[in-house]
Amino acid sequence: MEHSTPAKWLAEAFGTFWLVFGGCGTAIFAANFMVNGKGSRVDGPLGATQLGVGFLGVALAFGLTVVTMAYAVGHISGGHFNPAVTLGAAVGGRIAWKELPGYWVSQVVGGLLAGTALYFLSKDRTDFDATGHEAANGYGAHSPGGYGLGAVLVAEIILTAFFIIVILGATDERAPKGMGPLAIGLALTLIHLISIPISNTSVNPARSTAVAFFNGDGAPGQLWAFWVFPLIGGALGGLIYTYFWGKDSNIFAKAVELAEERAH
């Protein structure tokens, strides 16, 4: 069944909202949570206990948002929730190019709504300063591990490209049915485990845009990188999968056919 265009846009907005709210929300509120012996929150003095989920928990949160929304609304819009994924899908022939602008706008709007909700939640804590603490992406002084622009460029392009390859492969009509969302969610979890220290992990321009302006602290000025690099990676992943393993352009199958023809 082909769903209407507004239904697809709404699905993308909801899915992106959930991705940002769940993933960035975990990073903001639960990654580093300290308590004292009585269970009340403290800033981490001697004797405090770390009950936060850390990098592993944040990585899992992003993966789980994609898994849950892909099953919930993926059948309506394709479950992109990410401009780089939509670009890769267009390059791979999964959606028409004319659909790309509507998907991108829906994803950015959904992400910004989630970023707004997270900001107001942050503000409600009396001693919390949102500046620099809204899970923004960054490089140099704004990278969690102090990585420069070159490292972020390489990581974001490679990881986004592989993410698209996993998505296109897991949702290929020749792939096992019903397992796509799990493979995609696990891939996003792995991507975060690799690159949270490098760039705080984008691979998704809508996710980066969602919190950059609420975070401030240099994030808006560096936002361009988290559009350019993931989009390059998305296009590259779409080209690689389509060229090497696409149903109608598998160069390995064509090489075998050519060899067989010559043998005869």
Side-chain angles (χ1 to χ4, degrees):
M1 175 183 175
E2 179 67 19
H3 293 276
S4 68
T5 297
K8 293 178 181 179
W9 292 348
L10 191 60
E12 287 297 305
F14 267 83
T16 310
F17 180 99
W18 188 237
L19 184 149
V20 172
F21 193 82
C24 293
T26 301
I28 294 167
F29 304 122
N32 184 28
F33 192 85
M34 307 295 294
V35 297
N36 63 19
K38 297 180 180 180
S40 61
R41 181 186 53 75
V42 297
D43 293 327
L46 184 64
T49 301
Q50 164 66 279
L51 294 183
V53 299
F55 286 174
L56 176 58
V58 174
L60 285 170
F62 274 101
L64 289 171
T65 62
V66 169
V67 170
T68 52
M69 270 295 152
Y71 278 121
V73 299
H75 59 286
I76 297 172
S77 65
H80 300 178
F81 321 136
N82 180 341
V85 172
T86 302
L87 179 60
V91 170
R94 298 293 181 86
I95 68 167
W97 282 96
K98 65 181 181 180
E99 294 190 72
L100 190 145
Y103 270 62
W104 281 14
V105 170
S106 301
Q107 291 155 359
V108 170
V109 168
L112 284 171
L113 289 173
T116 303
L118 292 173
Y119 176 71
F120 279 101
L121 284 172
S122 301
K123 285 184 62 178
D124 197 51
R125 198 176 107 182
T126 55
D127 60 345
F128 187 82
D129 182 6
T131 302
H133 299 97
E134 290 292 297
N137 302 114
Y139 54 85
H142 304 292
S143 158
Y147 289 86
L149 181 61
V152 170
L153 179 152
V154 172
E156 289 288 331
I157 290 177
I158 290 175
L159 293 173
T160 309
F162 271 89
F163 190 39
I164 303 306
I165 291 169
V166 170
I167 291 170
L168 294 179
T171 57
D172 195 304
E173 62 181 21
R174 298 164 292 176
K177 304 302 180 185
M179 302 303 292
L182 290 176
I184 295 165
L186 288 172
L188 189 59
T189 299
L190 175 59
I191 286 168
H192 277 77
L193 290 174
I194 296 168
S195 62
I196 288 176
I198 299 172
S199 64
N200 216 18
T201 310
S202 173
V203 303
N204 183 340
R207 169 263 187 269
S208 299
T209 304
V211 296
F213 299 98
F214 298 107
N215 184 88
D217 193 33
Q222 294 187 350
L223 182 58
W224 67 269
F226 301 101
W227 273 89
V228 173
F229 303 154
L231 289 179
I232 291 173
L236 185 61
L239 286 171
I240 290 172
Y241 186 83
T242 303
Y243 185 73
F244 287 106
W245 305 293
K247 184 177 180 181
D248 298 322
S249 57
N250 189 330
I251 63 170
F252 297 114
K254 290 182 178 179
V256 171
E257 291 175 3
L258 182 60
E260 290 176 346
E261 289 176 2
R262 289 179 177 177
H264 288 35

